[in-house]
Amino acid sequence: MIGCDCAVCRSTDPRDKRTRTSALIEVTTADTSAAFAGAVRSILVDTSTDLRAQALAYRVNRVDAILFTHSHADHIMGLDDVRRYNVLQRTALPCFADPQTATDLRKTFHYIFNPPAQGGGGIPQISLFEVGGAFTLGGVEIVPVPLLHGHRPILGFRVGTFAYLTDCSRIPDTSWPLLAGVRTLVLDALRDKPHPTHFSVAEAVDVVARLAPERTYLTHMTHDLGHEATCARLPAGVELAYDGLLLDIER
Ligand SMILES: [Zn+2]
Ligand SMILES: [Zn+2]
Ligand SMILES: [Zn+2]
């Protein structure tokens, strides 16, 4: 946190150096055909404020599609930097969002959706799709999971046995069946103190107890939660995520 001297902000543990919440899903296959070379295989979840720094740090050299969870600033403000992927891949980027987030993206990034006559340094080329139910990208089924982030409906996403549920304070009754059988879970847990729009650690642990995934990684933490000390008191199978964390997921 800017201007904070707390123990976590001064920590030398690299896992305490956190940029904004985001994820990249890479679809791997034994198929080496030319057809697969052109397929969707790198799916970014949200375009965080730190997208450029994250892409450079973790060598994200390809993005074929973007899923948006919601339109809060920390999840969308890196969108301008995806124009580099337009150049690298010579194609527009398909983006998927719920109707509210799509409306907010068109407003916040009006220059992308209503481009000026002179493009200057370049404008992202985006094809924005509004999602209702499940859809397929690169041969992988993407299941949007409606969540509540305070009063605001947002989306989590399920891919195979993996679910990514950031920025939520409640899982609606109708969404629990969409999560049945999830084995690897990424779940919002802001801090210990309750918050109106995010799960606390205790609330997240309650979700884990009900869903019973094999492993859970908590995300979107504040500097209240140091990595090592928090992991030491979490139940078995639950730990904090960290920047650069890599997970192997079965389809
Ligand atoms: Zn701090
Ligand atoms: Zn949010
Ligand atoms: Zn957020």
Side-chain angles (χ1 to χ4, degrees):
M1 179 172 278
I2 292 172
C4 182
D5 286 323
C6 79
V8 175
C9 288
R10 283 186 291 107
S11 166
T12 54
D13 185 335
R15 297 168 302 181
D16 284 324
K17 304 282 179 226
R18 300 175 184 137
T19 58
R20 271 45 165 256
T21 303
S22 183
L24 185 76
I25 300 167
E26 291 185 291
V27 182
T28 55
T29 172
D31 184 353
T32 54
S33 69
F36 182 70
V40 171
R41 58 187 189 198
S42 183
I43 304 166
L44 182 64
V45 186
D46 291 331
T47 56
S48 91
T49 314
D50 298 314
L51 183 151
R52 184 171 182 276
Q54 292 165 337
L56 291 170
Y58 302 104
R59 306 205 61 77
V60 179
N61 295 337
R62 177 176 179 132
V63 170
D64 298 302
I66 300 169
L67 311 177
F68 283 101
T69 60
H70 67 306
S71 54
H72 282 163
D74 50 326
H75 297 260
I76 66 169
M77 291 311 265
L79 182 61
D80 187 75
D81 284 313
V82 306
R83 59 199 163 98
R84 177 63 182 148
Y85 298 109
N86 297 136
V87 174
L88 289 172
Q89 290 148 225
R90 298 193 190 90
T91 181
L93 259 174
C95 295
F96 300 85
D98 68 19
Q100 177 65 59
T101 296
T103 299
D104 292 343
L105 285 169
R106 289 190 194 98
K107 215 182 293 176
T108 306
F109 295 95
H110 61 91
Y111 69 94
I112 293 177
F113 298 98
N114 300 290
Q118 187 172 25
I123 291 170
Q125 306 295 310
I126 301 292
S127 307
L128 185 56
F129 299 98
E130 294 184 11
V131 295
F135 56 102
T136 300
L137 280 178
V140 174
E141 188 183 37
I142 311 288
V143 181
V145 180
L147 302 170
L148 282 168
H149 185 20
H151 299 298
R152 179 186 171 135
I154 73 146
L155 296 179
F157 294 100
R158 177 176 182 166
V159 181
T161 58
F162 172 70
Y164 182 78
L165 314 178
T166 189
D167 290 62
C168 48
S169 49
R170 196 156 77 78
I171 300 175
D173 292 344
T174 46
S175 290
W176 285 94
L178 299 174
L179 297 167
V182 163
R183 291 161 63 180
T184 304
L185 175 66
V186 173
L187 181 64
D188 186 4
L190 190 73
R191 61 188 189 189
D192 287 315
K193 208 176 129 194
H195 187 277
T197 63
H198 292 268
F199 281 133
S200 65
V201 172
E203 289 166 338
V205 167
D206 285 346
V207 169
V208 171
R210 178 167 169 187
L211 200 59
E214 285 166 18
R215 46 189 186 153
T216 301
Y217 300 88
L218 303 181
T219 193
H220 216 298
M221 296 78 68
T222 71
H223 61 156
D224 286 6
L225 304 177
H227 188 91
E228 202 174 315
T230 307
C231 285
R233 62 180 166 91
L234 288 171
V238 183
E239 55 192 288
L240 299 190
Y242 53 87
D243 283 36
L245 173 66
L246 278 173
L247 302 172
D248 284 319
I249 309 295
E250 285 175 47
R251 289 203 196 174

